[in-house]
Amino acid sequence: MMYDVIIVGAGAAGLYLGAQLKGANVLILEKNNRPGIKLLASGSGQCNLTHSGYISAFYERYGDHKSFVKPALKAHDNKAVIAYFESLGLKTMEREDGKVFPASLKAKDVVVALMRQVQHIRYQSNVKSIDQNENGFVVSLETGEALHAKGVIIATGGKSYPTMGSTGDGYTLAQALGHSIVPPKPGLTGVVTREKTLLALQGQSFKNSIITCTGPKTNRQIKGDLLITHFGLSGPVILNHSRWLYPGDRLKVNFLGKAQECVEKEFLEAVNHNGEKPLAFWLNQLEITDAFKNYIVDALEKEMAIQGLAQMKLGNIDKLLRKRLLSFLLAYPLEIENLIGYQQAMVTAGGVSLEEVSSKTMMSKTVANLYFIGEVLDIDGDTGGYNLQWAFSSAAAAASEIKKKLVTE
Ligand SMILES: Cc1cc2nc3c(=O)[nH]c(=O)nc-3n(C[C@H](O)[C@H](O)[C@H](O)COP(=O)(O)OP(=O)(O)OC[C@H]3O[C@@H](n4cnc5c(N)ncnc54)[C@H](O)[C@@H]3O)c2cc1C
């Protein structure tokens, strides 16, 4: 039997492609015993399938890969994804923050909608190798069985949450066909800090923090909401930039998200106008929690060997104490010990090198009729529905090319 195409992997990208190719002679091979396991877990089981707003705002959400993602996202944008799901009978809803979900808030409904379109799928079919021959490809399973197709799509995902099936197989399959792999690393993940000083603040979040990150490969300032955790730091500002962070990087956390000059000016004005008032008066004007205020006061009292700091008159705070206070608030030093690994990283940064793949069709530039879609490529998006949108848009890009080239009427 010769298939038009074989899709390796029944995740978000593979299922969307299978659905788009309904009616064609397509086989999906999945190593798990059911489809879309990661899709079922996405968005805490609610599946944040895309984001609302202009597609032009999406391009910046994929790290340094704006130019690669643009054609596919533009050709099959968030509105097209929503319209497609609605055409399958899956109603969607948009949350206030712009995240789009199935109206039922059940990821299962997304998988069911796609699966209704898919005709041929085989489970417990672990693909071990893909070879080219004169007619196309031979896809070999772990069992030794060989299957034949004119085209092959590698939709095996990355290496994150390996228990869900994505164990990095796609990289090996791609390499064997001559493709290069950008070394994978955990993405959308928290960082373990060497210092455990903020442990008492776990659960506290800071709106619009600014973090200066420096290291041999890192030199950037990142901005966004920060969460203190039991291991170190998380929250969108860390998750969305973790693709650029490495163990050993030094961080300076500005919890207030304001420029040093501005905060210093405000402090000196408070000293001039309210010098008789206590430090607590000034701290109370900051948008920080009581727990954080207490933490700073305690830490400074210990460091400077003083007592009753919260009640100290603003006019009595000397230059050294002011400097230390501002540096606690605006340049809190931490070092990254590690990134939280693949077991909990929501995506994988790195993957099949984009230089060898067409950004319009997702077809290999070196092996005709070989395609890569979804997270197996060196693409990882921010949180907020951008990764599933990529899985769907890249699948749609491959689908239109496959329909033109490979599908027998
Ligand atoms: C907990 C969690 C929550 C998430 N939530 C969201 C969210 O709400 N919104 C969002 O946009 N993104 C979210 N993501 C990211 C998103 O789920 C992924 O980016 C997306 O699923 C990638 O799709 P994919 O099809 O490329 O890979 P996957 O969905 O990982 O699918 C790959 C499939 O290939 C199969 N496979 C692998 N190797 C083989 C082989 N050798 N033979 C046969 N089959 C194989 C795997 O078993 C798997 O089923 C989340 C990720 C996680 C882990």
Side-chain angles (χ1 to χ4, degrees):
M1 164 92 179
M2 174 68 114
Y3 292 98
D4 287 342
V5 286
I6 288 180
I7 302 170
V8 186
L15 290 177
Y16 201 82
L17 176 59
Q20 299 270 321
L21 293 177
K22 187 179 183 181
N25 182 18
V26 173
L27 174 66
I28 305 183
L29 297 171
E30 167 56 53
K31 73 172 167 189
N32 288 326
N33 59 6
R34 58 203 166 104
I37 290 188
K38 194 175 278 183
L39 201 45
L40 291 170
S42 66
S44 306
Q46 298 187 336
C47 188
N48 171 203
L49 46 91
T50 186
H51 204 274
S52 63
Y54 292 110
I55 197 69
S56 52
F58 277 56
Y59 309 146
E60 308 288 342
R61 298 297 199 140
Y62 300 87
D64 299 326
H65 301 311
K66 176 178 175 171
S67 60
F68 188 88
V69 296
K70 198 171 167 182
L73 289 175
K74 208 171 167 186
H76 192 82
D77 62 11
N78 48 349
K79 291 194 175 69
V81 166
I82 293 167
Y84 181 65
F85 279 115
E86 300 257 350
S87 79
L88 301 184
L90 184 89
K91 298 232 167 308
T92 59
M93 61 84 96
E94 182 191 326
R95 246 174 37 179
E96 239 172 51
D97 57 5
K99 292 181 179 177
V100 178
F101 294 84
S104 63
L105 292 176
K106 287 191 182 122
K108 188 169 154 262
D109 293 347
V110 177
V111 177
V112 168
L114 293 174
M115 279 303 291
R116 279 203 201 105
Q117 307 307 307
V118 166
Q119 285 159 316
H120 305 292
I121 185 161
R122 282 177 56 175
Y123 301 109
Q124 291 173 314
S125 299
N126 189 0
V127 172
K128 279 294 176 195
S129 65
I130 302 169
D131 298 291
Q132 289 176 272
N133 68 9
E134 61 282 9
N135 302 318
F137 296 89
V138 183
V139 178
S140 304
L141 305 183
E142 198 177 25
T143 54
E145 187 182 354
L147 298 151
H148 301 264
K150 290 188 267 174
V152 168
I153 297 90
I154 299 185
T156 45
K159 284 181 80 165
S160 314
Y161 277 73
T163 48
M164 294 180 181
S166 44
T167 48
D169 295 3
Y171 308 144
T172 319
L173 296 171
Q175 265 173 325
L177 288 158
H179 275 265
S180 337
I181 304 299
V182 174
K185 80 190 272 289
L188 286 186
T189 196
V191 299
V192 180
T193 52
R194 198 167 293 288
E195 302 80 358
K196 305 299 172 199
T197 41
L198 294 178
L199 221 62
L201 292 173
Q202 58 183 283
Q204 301 269 315
S205 52
F206 297 86
K207 284 237 157 279
N208 305 317
S209 69
I210 302 175
I211 308 177
T212 308
C213 318
T214 47
K217 291 194 207 164
T218 315
N219 184 14
R220 60 179 69 233
Q221 208 176 52
I222 60 180
K223 298 178 187 177
D225 298 350
L226 172 72
L227 176 70
I228 312 287
T229 68
H230 61 286
F231 53 78
L233 305 178
S234 188
V237 66
I238 294 293
L239 297 176
N240 288 340
H241 297 95
S242 53
R243 63 170 83 88
W244 289 306
L245 300 176
Y246 294 88
D249 284 354
R250 308 281 328 170
L251 307 178
K252 286 219 163 117
V253 183
N254 178 335
F255 293 102
L256 302 185
K258 284 172 153 183
Q260 159 105 20
E261 306 76 66
C262 167
V263 180
E264 187 149 28
K265 191 167 162 240
E266 283 169 11
F267 186 86
L268 292 173
E269 273 170 15
V271 171
N272 283 339
H273 296 110
N274 295 293
E276 288 301 305
K277 296 221 166 119
L279 174 63
F281 166 79
W282 184 74
L283 288 175
N284 286 340
Q285 293 174 11
L286 303 178
E287 285 178 31
I288 52 176
T289 60
D290 287 345
F292 187 48
K293 279 175 221 160
N294 294 338
Y295 169 75
I296 293 172
V297 168
D298 286 353
L300 274 174
E301 282 181 345
K302 270 196 208 107
E303 183 184 305
M304 312 289 280
I306 45 176
Q307 283 186 341
L309 180 60
Q311 294 316 314
M312 187 184 277
K313 287 180 184 170
L314 283 168
N316 290 344
I317 291 181
D318 63 17
K319 197 172 167 190
L320 177 64
L321 189 48
R322 183 177 82 229
K323 224 176 131 207
R324 289 304 297 138
L325 171 67
L326 294 185
S327 94
F328 259 76
L329 286 167
L330 306 172
Y332 194 95
L334 292 166
E335 186 182 326
I336 298 182
E337 185 173 293
N338 240 317
L339 272 80
I340 297 286
Y342 292 116
Q343 303 297 330
Q344 286 175 54
M346 275 194 285
V347 293
T348 307
V352 174
S353 171
L354 304 178
E355 282 171 21
E356 297 153 8
V357 177
S358 157
S359 60
K360 289 201 178 76
T361 64
M362 303 300 133
M363 192 171 88
S364 161
K365 288 181 184 169
T366 53
V367 181
N369 301 326
L370 172 69
Y371 296 78
F372 300 96
I373 55 173
E375 208 181 303
V376 71
L377 283 161
D378 177 21
I379 297 288
D380 57 292
D382 289 353
T383 56
Y386 300 100
N387 285 292
L388 287 178
Q389 176 69 46
W390 172 249
F392 302 146
S393 292
S394 57
S400 39
E401 183 70 2
I402 289 166
K403 279 180 199 161
K404 278 187 236 154
K405 285 189 72 182
L406 292 172
V407 173
T408 27
E409 297 300 326

